[in-house]
Amino acid sequence: MKFTPHIKFLLAVTLQVVILVGLFVSKSLTSLTGTEVLLKIQPVDPRDPLRGDYVTYQYEISRLPRSSFPALLFPKGPAYGEQVFVPLVKAGDYWTAGYPVLQESPRKKEAVYLKARVVDTGESDFVRLEYGLEQYFIPEGAGQRVSFFNREAFAKIRVDKFGTGVIQELLVDGKKWP
Amino acid sequence: MEKAALLARAQHLKSEGKSKEEIYLDLLKSGHRVDEIEAAYKELAKKENEGHMQERTVHIILTVGALLIAAGVFSFVASNWQELGRVTKLLILLVAMLTAHGVGFYMKEKGRYLKTAQAFFLVGSTIYGASIFLIAQMFHIASNWPDGFILWMFGAAAFGFGASSLASLWLAAATGLTATIGHPVEFFGSFSDYSQYIFSSSVFLVIATAVTFASGWLLERVFSGKAVLREIFFVLSAAFLFITLTVLNRDIGDIVSWRVLLLITSAVALALAYKKQLLLSLMGGLIGIGIFWIFQSSTWLESAGITSGISVISGVALIGLIYYVLGHMQREKFMTAYVALGFLSVTGLLFYFSLEDGVRSLTDFFAKHAQKNFTASFGVVGTLSLFLVALLFLLWYSREPRASHNPVLKSSEALGVFAFAAIFTALLFMPELELTRYDQFAYHHNLTPAGFTAALVFNVLIFAELTGFILTGYIRRHIWRINLGALLLFIFIIVKYFDWFFTFLDKSVFFISAGAVLFIVGFLMERGRRYMLHEIHSSH
């Protein structure tokens, strides 16, 4: 099949549209169909030049004890950059990390597992994880002099069966923030 | 009345496509005078201009109106962006992108406004990239997101080839470079503990490697004469190969070190360079090998409990000298890269050791506690021996004349290379030496007599090396060697005065004498340089 210049042009434009729509749909599906969880957060505040103001924070479940990683699955302990799946269990109003941390998502409807990467194995009894959900974009200027200390701050997240999470909103002292 | 009839007749004839001469003849035959016909023709022209002006005015008003509406829409969207739903935001972005591409297409196909079309295509590809990051913002995707730049590169490259838009291809190259810049730094340990690609999938990176390679390959066939862009894409493919290998290595449990992956990638870059005659890939491969040696040898030394880094320095110098000699066996295009890299490596080392900081480093390298006995590391000993043997072999091999397009190494050059190799090898076997002593009252390191001798030796060596390099440029008729050597010599002299003589002279005497010497040296260099360049141009 010969590609005329017009067909090549259309294919190129279509690829750009497909990439944009694909990115949007993949995240939207998780937002619409994932299990809703509330995770407790602890914050910091920088600025991203390409996308405006955002708040950076970590979760209560960003640091897990080494004992959460079973020796059978992690004989040498978790390695830097390793992908893991953290089980989430409901504890009152919010969710916290359960046991054990796995290397594959079990993809069970009744269980919620959140995908993470090991970023610091360190020498202590704790392992630091990142979930790719540690930033929340806010209106320009709204992040200045932000402090969540001594306040009850949570992130509402939707998690799909593949362990992918999408942030829905932040709640501070029970109200949507900002 | 007659005038009106005449005007109507003239207008009718003009609408039939008659020329001015034909209209005049027709009206003359009808019995009208020349001055009447001229007046009617002028009246007709005046009415036509008014018509055109009206059309133009309408066109301008419509254009300004359209721009105002566009500005209004943009302003409305920007101020209400937060309140708009995600789907609405996506639709706005898609419409903006498709409008830019559509207008560009129309300009190109119907109006033949090719440059304007290219500008609109670039705007469209830019809106596409901005849309990726705006969608990422909608879903709060992490800020360290090189995948966003890679997706931008995919779309811009595809559009570049699909619409024959060079501007989009340059945009693709720029976004690809942006995506790769953050990554290599991670593996240098002290710079960062965080990988930019920690959330990227290896499949995605394999695709990035393939796309950049394919782009370079396609550029050869689709756009002739775009050598720089083609070189950039092939270098990007090597960079993405390295990133892909490191991520794959991470996913399978770090079975090899990143240094080995760098060596593999450098070898691939070199093979690609020779296959496709790519200068940037060649330089990337050669620099990659140098970086591999620095970090691998440091790791070997650390494992063997050796803190002196003198063997790393010697290795860098030997690699530089090997490049210098190898360069003279290459064709012109690659010769410059090899020779320049080799020369700059050795010059850099000599320059550093000619400075106060450099002499102080030598004291650390030669200290007893540094345990500089590099022979405890088999890896270092083996590799340095290999470098020495390779260099000696190349010096021997280059002694015979080759084909006319492969200039041989002159005997004076070979002697110079051998001398520097001997000096940097001898550094490995230096006894414990105190070259500087710390003055705790002045909070400053002072040179000992041995330190002063070492400093003097290195200063003489670098001066001789730079002068020698300039002379090789004269002998070989390579103007770039003369210019590069002269520039570095000038910088060397400037730095020397600030580095060494400042503490020995009164300030005013220092500045006056420094200025005077610089004038004299600068004049002599310029005169010498002009003489050499004149000789070269005359002989050509």
Side-chain angles (χ1 to χ4, degrees):
Chain A
M1 179 188 173
K2 199 183 173 191
F3 290 107
T4 64
H6 289 179
I7 291 177
K8 281 191 220 171
F9 177 82
L10 277 171
L11 283 173
V13 173
T14 305
L15 177 68
Q16 289 189 345
V17 171
V18 163
I19 289 174
L20 290 178
V21 171
L23 182 61
F24 184 87
V25 166
S26 67
K27 293 298 173 188
S28 294
L29 275 175
T30 305
S31 286
L32 292 170
T33 62
T35 307
E36 192 174 275
V37 300
L38 264 183
L39 298 178
K40 198 155 192 232
I41 62 175
Q42 296 145 6
V44 185
D45 172 43
R47 181 181 168 99
D48 184 308
L50 272 172
R51 289 177 284 169
D53 281 358
Y54 61 95
V55 186
T56 296
Y57 47 81
Q58 48 184 1
Y59 297 98
E60 203 180 53
I61 60 170
S62 296
R63 276 174 85 242
L64 295 183
R66 282 186 186 279
S67 52
S68 302
F69 300 81
L72 206 64
L73 296 172
F74 303 93
K76 292 181 185 175
Y80 172 80
E82 187 173 1
Q83 183 172 272
V84 297
F85 291 83
V86 178
L88 298 180
V89 292
K90 202 153 184 208
D93 289 335
Y94 64 95
W95 296 60
T96 186
Y99 176 87
V101 173
L102 302 177
Q103 287 165 327
E104 299 276 341
S105 171
R107 296 188 192 179
K108 289 179 190 167
K109 229 177 173 179
E110 58 277 10
V112 181
Y113 281 81
L114 189 57
K115 189 162 50 181
R117 288 274 182 183
V118 177
V119 293
D120 187 6
T121 53
E123 300 295 325
S124 67
D125 295 332
F126 289 89
V127 175
R128 203 160 64 82
L129 305 173
E130 278 203 12
Y131 298 89
L133 303 169
E134 283 79 12
Q135 274 151 1
Y136 185 79
F137 288 88
I138 53 179
E140 203 170 317
Q144 290 170 10
R145 289 184 291 279
V146 161
S147 175
F148 291 163
F149 295 113
N150 297 321
R151 298 170 82 179
E152 288 279 298
F154 297 90
K156 191 185 283 184
I157 295 169
R158 288 262 182 185
V159 184
D160 64 21
K161 62 178 181 181
F162 301 104
T164 306
V166 176
I167 303 171
Q168 303 301 297
E169 59 187 13
L170 296 190
L171 298 169
V172 178
D173 294 334
K175 290 179 196 168
K176 186 178 171 183
W177 184 89
Chain B
M1 189 89 174
E2 246 185 64
K3 197 176 167 187
L6 172 60
L7 199 60
R9 176 75 186 151
Q11 198 162 3
H12 172 72
L13 288 169
K14 195 146 190 223
S15 67
E16 284 180 352
K18 301 267 188 229
S19 68
K20 189 177 176 182
E21 290 73 25
E22 286 169 331
I23 295 172
Y24 265 67
L25 275 171
D26 186 283
L27 293 172
L28 279 168
K29 277 181 191 170
S30 307
H32 295 287
R33 297 197 307 275
V34 172
D35 58 330
E36 284 175 349
I37 298 168
E38 271 183 16
Y41 206 84
K42 272 185 191 166
E43 183 77 19
L44 203 63
K46 190 177 162 191
K47 279 191 176 167
E48 271 183 15
N49 278 342
E50 279 172 6
H52 282 145
M53 271 182 65
Q54 281 170 355
E55 260 184 52
R56 255 183 101 185
T57 307
V58 168
H59 182 76
I60 289 169
I61 289 170
L62 282 175
T63 305
V64 171
L67 285 172
L68 284 172
I69 290 171
V73 168
F74 185 76
S75 173
F76 174 79
V77 168
S79 60
N80 291 287
W81 188 256
Q82 300 300 329
E83 283 71 41
L84 293 171
R86 284 173 179 169
V87 175
T88 311
K89 285 178 186 174
L90 177 68
L91 286 173
I92 290 170
L93 293 171
L94 285 174
V95 165
M97 183 185 79
L98 291 172
T99 303
H101 284 328
V103 170
F105 180 80
Y106 181 82
M107 289 275 178
K108 187 180 170 190
E109 295 294 313
K110 304 291 178 193
R112 303 282 171 208
Y113 291 108
L114 300 176
K115 288 203 189 319
T116 311
Q118 290 295 324
F120 272 102
F121 288 152
L122 181 61
V123 167
S125 289
T126 307
I127 294 174
Y128 160 74
S131 302
I132 291 172
F133 288 96
L134 284 169
I135 293 172
Q137 184 193 58
M138 286 180 214
F139 295 99
H140 308 284
I141 295 175
S143 66
N144 286 330
W145 194 48
D147 293 12
F149 285 103
I150 296 175
L151 284 173
W152 194 351
M153 182 185 71
F154 287 166
F159 191 80
F161 288 110
S164 300
S165 167
L166 260 179
S168 292
L169 285 171
W170 276 106
L171 179 62
T175 51
L177 277 167
T178 308
T180 55
I181 282 170
H183 186 263
V185 174
E186 166 218 335
F187 292 102
F188 298 161
S190 57
F191 289 91
S192 166
D193 294 325
Y194 185 77
S195 167
Q196 303 290 344
Y197 286 88
I198 195 157
F199 290 104
S200 301
S201 91
S202 43
V203 172
F204 185 67
L205 292 170
V206 168
I207 296 172
T209 309
V211 164
T212 43
F213 183 84
S215 297
W217 182 79
L218 273 173
L219 266 164
E220 263 180 295
R221 284 151 181 76
V222 177
F223 291 98
S224 62
K226 302 300 169 194
V228 175
L229 192 55
R230 186 171 146 258
E231 293 248 16
I232 291 174
F233 272 112
F234 278 121
V235 164
L236 273 177
S237 71
F240 274 116
L241 174 66
F242 175 61
I243 294 166
T244 307
L245 289 175
T246 53
V247 169
L248 278 171
N249 184 48
R250 178 197 72 197
D251 288 346
I252 59 176
D254 285 317
I255 53 173
V256 293
S257 74
W258 68 268
R259 296 172 296 277
V260 171
L261 299 176
L262 177 63
L263 188 64
I264 293 170
T265 309
S266 300
V268 169
L270 286 175
L272 198 59
Y274 277 95
K275 178 80 181 158
K276 300 277 183 191
Q277 291 298 297
L278 303 167
L279 190 58
L280 284 182
S281 283
L282 174 77
M283 292 179 72
L286 294 177
I287 292 170
I289 289 171
I291 295 173
F292 163 78
W293 161 254
I294 291 170
F295 284 90
Q296 186 59 52
S297 56
S298 302
T299 307
W300 282 329
L301 291 173
E302 201 180 330
S303 308
I306 302 167
T307 55
S308 171
I310 195 63
S311 44
V312 179
I313 302 294
S314 297
V316 170
L318 290 174
I319 290 172
L321 291 168
I322 288 171
Y323 287 170
Y324 185 85
V325 177
L326 268 177
H328 292 84
M329 300 174 187
Q330 311 294 318
R331 290 178 187 268
E332 190 72 36
K333 186 178 179 183
F334 283 359
M335 179 189 185
T336 308
Y338 272 96
V339 169
L341 276 173
F343 167 67
L344 288 171
S345 315
V346 175
T347 305
L349 290 173
L350 289 173
F351 188 69
Y352 177 64
F353 289 126
S354 72
L355 300 174
E356 210 175 333
D357 275 351
V359 176
R360 203 179 315 135
S361 301
L362 281 176
T363 303
D364 294 336
F365 290 149
F366 298 152
K368 194 175 180 183
H369 68 83
Q371 298 173 317
K372 62 186 187 298
N373 188 2
F374 66 98
T375 52
S377 166
F378 178 74
V380 170
V381 171
T383 318
L384 283 176
S385 305
L386 189 66
F387 289 161
L388 262 174
V389 166
L391 181 61
L392 290 172
F393 171 76
L394 286 170
L395 282 172
W396 171 81
Y397 186 76
S398 67
R399 80 196 189 290
E400 294 294 333
R402 302 284 166 211
S404 60
H405 62 264
N406 274 344
V408 300
L409 202 63
K410 307 292 179 197
S411 51
S412 53
E413 278 178 305
L415 196 63
V417 168
F418 184 81
F420 282 115
I423 290 165
F424 279 102
T425 307
L427 287 177
L428 294 167
F429 302 100
M430 293 295 286
E432 182 192 350
L433 278 175
E434 194 186 24
L435 302 176
T436 60
R437 199 174 290 130
Y438 186 65
D439 182 343
Q440 60 185 353
F441 299 106
Y443 301 104
H444 180 75
H445 283 92
N446 294 324
L447 289 176
T448 61
F452 192 84
T453 308
L456 196 64
V457 165
F458 278 107
N459 276 276
V460 167
L461 281 175
I462 189 173
F463 185 80
E465 190 231 11
L466 289 172
T467 313
F469 190 71
I470 293 171
L471 282 171
T472 64
Y474 173 67
I475 293 166
R476 290 178 181 282
R477 305 287 191 260
H478 287 169
I479 295 170
W480 72 269
R481 291 192 191 214
I482 297 171
N483 287 334
L484 179 61
L487 173 67
L488 291 177
L489 191 59
F490 185 68
I491 293 171
F492 163 76
I493 290 168
I494 300 263
V495 172
K496 282 305 104 185
Y497 276 101
F498 282 97
D499 184 53
W500 284 117
F501 298 106
F502 191 89
T503 55
F504 293 97
L505 293 175
D506 179 75
K507 277 183 192 171
S508 54
V509 174
F510 163 73
F511 280 115
I512 292 169
S513 55
V517 172
L518 279 175
F519 264 113
I520 294 167
V521 171
F523 170 73
L524 288 172
M525 281 175 59
E526 181 61 25
R527 199 173 148 189
R529 184 178 157 275
R530 276 192 191 180
Y531 173 76
M532 287 184 186
L533 290 174
H534 173 72
E535 287 291 300
I536 290 171
H537 287 304
S538 302
S539 65
H540 283 155

